[in-house]
Amino acid sequence: MSKWIPERPPYKKERRTVGFMALAAFLLLFFYRLFADRLPFASVTWLNAPVVACVAFLLPALAYVCFRGNGYTAALRLHFPRGRCTPLMIAAFFALFSGCLLLSLLTGGMETLGNSVLSFDTSQPEGAFEAFLLLIGGAILPALLEEFFFRGIIAVEYERRGAFRAVLMSALLFALLHFDISNLLSYLYAGVLLCLVLYATNSLWATVILHVLYNVLSLVAQRYLNALYEYTGTVQLFLFIFVVMLLASLLFFCRACARIYRMRDEQGIQDPRRAVPYNVQFHTVLDALSDPAIILCFALSIAGFVML
């Protein structure tokens, strides 16, 4: 057992501040969802989604950035990805879409075909202007704010003792904060994949672009997925197409990531997140999970699964 549970090494305790930001987001979204039916705009998708995103993500994130002080945003990788990352992002997009679709079908059955796996219900726009509002409010703004919150602040705070903890905590909190147990695996998978894209591209905008594209596709893809399902004629063939897409895109994604990291090693670019010893990462993950604020987040998510 000592191989898997090493002794706790001596290291300086961290300030548990990011957990309070996460808890604030959980509380805000929990009570917003709890009383959403009483709000006059709850049924308006293009308005409801951005309000949810601003209340749950933007307010806590801005408060936390102000708390951290000047210069903090430099750590958030707020620059566009380089051109050499384009093949990786294309592969990640197909892996994101096919993986979320298959996991949604796995947990919800074929009746969930075309499920957008979003935090809001989609509706058909009645005109070009409403379609534009739905695009901005239902796809772009929520993706931007969620990425800034999870792959930006949370990943940066937890990566100080290793990238593994950052991937785990950002993906776990991302999945739980949607209060959707039926699509929990889909959110968890998406959170892990987007965080891997963040580190491979070293760009938060890369994950924002992927998230926006996924949201946009989710808004319009249901009719086309239904048409493809009817065209294939069998569940087996339909699933086979997306399983092949998932495996091929993940293979290409892994090869592209390996190529980028090999290039960085050849250029002598050091990445301290990859040099954290296993015993340090193991116990700092436990420290993060035992944070009282994070434990309250878990409790709120369980309550959300039951009540919302």
Side-chain angles (χ1 to χ4, degrees), residues 36-67:
D37 294 339
R38 303 180 184 181
L39 300 176
F41 55 83
S43 60
V44 184
T45 302
W46 64 265
L47 183 58
N48 184 41
V51 170
V52 170
C54 290
V55 169
F57 304 122
L58 184 60
L59 294 181
L62 290 179
Y64 190 80
V65 170
C66 293
F67 166 77

Side-chain angles (χ1 to χ4, degrees), residues 73-117:
T73 54
L76 302 182
R77 305 176 179 88
L78 299 176
H79 48 264
F80 286 95
R82 297 184 177 181
R84 67 182 180 213
C85 298
T86 302
L88 179 148
M89 293 177 61
I90 294 174
F93 173 73
F94 283 102
L96 180 65
F97 175 70
S98 57
C100 287
L101 174 65
L102 290 172
L103 287 172
S104 180
L105 296 178
L106 176 65
T107 56
M110 293 303 295
E111 62 271 14
T112 63
L113 182 61
N115 188 349
S116 63
V117 196

Side-chain angles (χ1 to χ4, degrees), residues 102 105 110 232 234-244:
L102 290 172
L105 296 178
M110 293 303 295
T232 56
T234 63
V235 175
Q236 292 81 0
L237 180 57
F238 178 84
L239 294 179
F240 176 77
I241 292 173
F242 284 95
V243 168
V244 171

Side-chain angles (χ1 to χ4, degrees), residues 21-241:
M21 183 194 71
L23 179 59
F26 270 80
L27 286 169
L28 289 169
L29 187 57
F30 178 82
F31 285 108
Y32 185 95
R33 293 283 189 85
L34 191 62
F35 299 105
D37 294 339
R38 303 180 184 181
L39 300 176
F41 55 83
S43 60
V44 184
T45 302
W46 64 265
L47 183 58
N48 184 41
V51 170
V52 170
C54 290
V55 169
F57 304 122
L58 184 60
L59 294 181
L62 290 179
Y64 190 80
V65 170
C66 293
F67 166 77
R68 295 292 284 167
N70 294 331
Y72 178 74
T73 54
L76 302 182
R77 305 176 179 88
L78 299 176
H79 48 264
F80 286 95
R82 297 184 177 181
R84 67 182 180 213
C85 298
T86 302
L88 179 148
M89 293 177 61
I90 294 174
F93 173 73
F94 283 102
L96 180 65
F97 175 70
S98 57
C100 287
L101 174 65
L102 290 172
L103 287 172
S104 180
L105 296 178
L106 176 65
T107 56
M110 293 303 295
E111 62 271 14
T112 63
L113 182 61
N115 188 349
S116 63
V117 196
L118 297 175
S119 59
F120 52 89
D121 297 326
T122 60
S123 59
Q124 294 298 323
E126 298 181 357
F129 182 68
E130 186 174 340
F132 174 77
L133 293 177
L134 184 61
L135 176 66
I136 300 297
I140 297 178
L141 187 60
L144 176 63
L145 296 181
E146 287 185 14
E147 292 306 311
F148 181 73
F149 188 91
F150 291 103
R151 260 63 64 179
I153 296 175
I154 288 182
V156 164
E157 291 298 317
Y158 281 118
E159 74 183 11
R160 301 180 189 279
R161 296 285 172 83
F164 173 76
R165 186 175 68 156
V167 174
L168 173 65
M169 295 302 297
S170 63
L172 185 60
L173 293 173
F174 175 73
L176 293 175
L177 189 54
H178 286 84
F179 300 116
D180 184 2
I181 193 171
S182 62
N183 287 309
L184 184 65
L185 290 178
S186 298
Y187 286 119
L188 188 62
Y189 167 78
V192 170
L193 184 61
L194 288 170
C195 206
L196 294 178
V197 171
L198 172 73
Y199 288 124
T201 62
N202 201 31
S203 170
L204 183 62
W205 281 106
T207 66
V208 171
I209 292 171
L210 289 178
H211 201 152
V212 168
L213 291 176
Y214 176 77
N215 283 1
V216 171
L217 183 61
S218 299
L219 292 175
V220 301
Q222 182 168 355
R223 66 179 66 177
Y224 301 106
L225 288 173
N226 289 333
L228 177 62
Y229 175 66
E230 294 177 0
Y231 178 78
T232 56
T234 63
V235 175
Q236 292 81 0
L237 180 57
F238 178 84
L239 294 179
F240 176 77
I241 292 173

